[in-house]
Amino acid sequence: MSLHTSRKLKIHQPENFQYESIPDSHVWDDLHDHPSVEPIGPDAVPVIDLNDPKLIEKIGKACEEWGVFIICNHGIEPEVLNRLCSQMHRLFALPAEVKLKVAKTEGHDAGYGGFPISHFCPKFSWSEGFAIGSSSVDHAQKLWPDDYSTFCEVIEEYKKAINSLGCRLIHAMLLSLGLSEEELCQIPVGDSSKLKTVMHLNSYPACTNPDRVLGLPPHTDSGCVAIVYHNGISGLQVLRCKDDIAPTRWVTVPAVSNTFVVNIGDLMHVLSNGRFHNVLHRVTISKTNRLSCAYFFGPQADIKVGPLSKLAGLEQSPLYKPVTWPGLQKMRSMLHDKALQAIKIDSN
Ligand SMILES: O=C(O)CCC(=O)C(=O)O
Ligand SMILES: [Fe+2]
C-alpha cells in the first residue's frame, strides 16, 4: 500500500482511505465522551424558511439558542448545487499524487490539506480538504492541465449564489440584534464590499468501522458565519451543553436535501457581545461517502471586529477586545479553543 504522509498537514492518503483495518493513528478513543442524540423534540435543530414573515425574529432566536440552523427556500437552483457536487467528486477522486501537487504550503491557506488546527489533535481525521481563496485557477490548472475551466466556472457560479445568500443572512442577523437598516451599512460586517470569504471543500470517505474515526474534530468556526452545503448524508453534530432537558450531548444535524446549514462563528459571537452562540461542532463518519462545502464569511483582513457599541453600551460593558480575522486565527493556532478567552475583557 502506498502511503503519502505529511505530518505537518496531518493528511494520510493511503489509497484513499482503503484500509483493511483502521490504523491506530486514526482511532479516536474519546468519541463517546458525550452521547450522540437525534434532533427531535427539544433537540430539534431549528429549520428556518427564508420566506417566513418572522424571519428576523426566528434567525435571532436560533443564533442565540443554538448557533446553528438549517435554511430552506433559499432560492439557489438545485442545478448549481449538483454541479458543485460533481466537481467535488471529480476533485477528490483524483489520485493522491495529483492532489498533493496543490498541497497547502507554509503561510498559505489555500490548497489541499488537513484541517487548519489539526496540530492540536491527537489523531488524524478521516477526511480530506481543499481550501479555495480568491481564485481557484492556479490550483485547477495543476490538477487538470487540459480542462481546468469547468471547475473554475462551477466554483465561481456557486460563489456568486452563496455570497448573496450570506449577505442576506448576515443582514437578518444584524437586524435581529437591534440595528437599523442605516446602522448596519455603517459597520464593516454589514457592508458586503468589506467581507472576505473562504471556501472549504471537504470529503469524508466511507468507513467500515465509522464509530472509531472522526471526520473533523470538535471546533468552532473562526469567522462570522459559515454556510454549509452537503450531499445529503448526515455527519455534522453540534454540542448542546447540560440543561434542564438532558446532560451534555452531541446533536446530529439532520441532512435535509436542498437545504444549507448555517453556523455562527467566533467573530459573530464577539460582534454580538456574546449574545450569539459560536457553536462547537464536529463531523462523524458513516458507511457512505460524504461531501460538504463550508463557505466562511468574515471581515477583510485589516478590519477589527469588536462588540457592537449599540449592544455594549451603558447597560452592558463590552466583553471582548476588537480583533481582526487573521489575528484571531493566529491566536487559535497557538491557543486553540482558549483564543477567545485571550481577548476577553477582564471585568475586574
Ligand atoms: O462538513 C461539515 O458538515 C462541516 C464542515 C466544517 O465544520 C468546517 O469545514 O469547518
Ligand atoms: Fe466548522
Side-chain angles (χ1 to χ4, degrees):
M1 183 185 283
S2 68
L3 183 69
H4 305 260
T5 310
S6 166
R7 271 269 149 198
K8 193 158 186 11
L9 297 170
K10 282 255 169 121
I11 326 170
H12 265 213
Q13 287 282 284
E15 317 274 284
N16 289 324
F17 295 90
Q18 300 294 310
Y19 295 105
E20 274 157 30
S21 67
I22 301 166
D24 186 52
S25 55
H26 288 68
V27 176
W28 290 69
D29 298 317
D30 55 354
L31 272 188
H32 309 291
D33 53 349
H34 303 297
S36 291
V37 302
E38 289 306 310
I40 47 175
D43 279 334
V45 178
V47 179
I48 298 181
D49 181 336
L50 282 201
N51 295 332
D52 192 317
K54 292 197 172 145
L55 181 68
I56 312 288
E57 199 183 306
K58 289 196 175 166
I59 284 193
K61 191 168 181 314
C63 292
E64 283 182 34
E65 293 177 3
W66 280 83
V68 65
F69 56 92
I70 294 170
I71 45 170
C72 59
N73 276 326
H74 46 72
I76 297 186
E77 298 292 333
E79 293 74 32
V80 174
L81 303 177
N82 292 342
R83 281 193 282 272
L84 173 72
C85 209
S86 49
Q87 289 305 313
M88 287 202 278
H89 270 293
R90 183 176 172 226
L91 168 74
F92 290 112
L94 287 169
E97 60 273 18
V98 177
K99 289 183 277 194
L100 288 171
K101 283 188 195 168
V102 296
K104 281 183 195 166
T105 50
E106 188 83 56
H108 293 94
D109 297 334
Y112 178 68
F115 187 63
I117 43 180
S118 53
H119 54 276
F120 285 102
C121 301
K123 295 299 174 94
F124 286 99
S125 301
W126 198 264
S127 62
E128 306 172 80
F130 183 74
I132 302 173
S134 50
S135 163
S136 59
V137 175
D138 288 353
H139 283 162
Q141 276 174 336
K142 288 195 181 122
L143 295 171
W144 302 282
D146 300 325
D147 176 18
Y148 65 90
S149 56
T150 313
F151 182 82
C152 300
E153 280 160 22
V154 168
I155 297 296
E156 287 311 311
E157 175 185 54
Y158 184 76
K159 278 187 175 177
K160 203 169 156 207
I162 208 81
N163 276 334
S164 70
L165 178 62
C167 291
R168 239 175 110 188
L169 287 171
I170 292 172
H171 276 202
M173 288 173 192
L174 295 174
L175 291 175
S176 83
L177 287 171
L179 293 192
S180 66
E181 295 276 356
E182 295 74 47
E183 283 168 327
L184 70 84
C185 298
Q186 284 153 19
I187 64 157
V189 173
D191 177 349
S192 57
S193 69
K194 299 214 169 96
L195 285 177
K196 181 185 171 197
T197 59
V198 180
M199 186 168 179
H200 277 192
L201 309 182
N202 302 303
S203 161
Y204 307 96
C207 181
T208 46
N209 208 339
D211 285 346
R212 306 189 69 208
V213 297
L214 194 55
L216 283 189
H219 66 280
T220 57
D221 296 330
S222 61
C224 291
V225 173
I227 303 184
V228 182
Y229 164 70
H230 53 73
N231 64 340
I233 306 296
S234 64
L236 180 63
Q237 292 189 319
V238 295
L239 193 76
R240 294 287 278 167
C241 289
K242 182 178 181 306
D243 50 20
D244 299 344
I245 306 157
T248 301
R249 63 250 181 230
W250 287 107
V251 178
T252 302
V253 177
V256 189
S257 50
N258 206 18
T259 63
F260 292 98
V261 179
V262 180
N263 288 337
I264 295 298
D266 292 347
L267 286 179
M268 202 53 144
H269 175 79
V270 169
L271 187 85
S272 66
N273 207 27
R275 221 159 107 177
F276 285 177
H277 180 60
N278 50 337
V279 68
L280 189 74
H281 54 285
R282 68 178 189 177
V283 180
T284 58
I285 294 296
S286 68
K287 292 188 176 170
T288 314
N289 289 326
R290 178 169 190 267
L291 293 169
S292 77
C293 169
Y295 201 85
F296 303 97
F297 294 81
Q300 280 175 5
D302 55 340
I303 296 173
K304 281 193 172 177
V305 170
L308 288 170
S309 48
K310 190 152 186 177
L311 299 179
L314 295 173
E315 284 155 39
Q316 200 196 357
S317 51
L319 296 178
Y320 297 99
K321 293 177 209 150
V323 66
T324 62
W325 196 3
L328 182 62
Q329 280 166 326
K330 195 166 171 211
M331 279 190 236
R332 284 165 53 107
S333 74
M334 295 182 299
L335 303 170
H336 190 31
D337 53 358
K338 308 282 181 299
L340 281 188
Q341 245 158 279
I343 57 161
K344 204 147 194 181
I345 296 173
D346 191 346
S347 53
N348 301 318

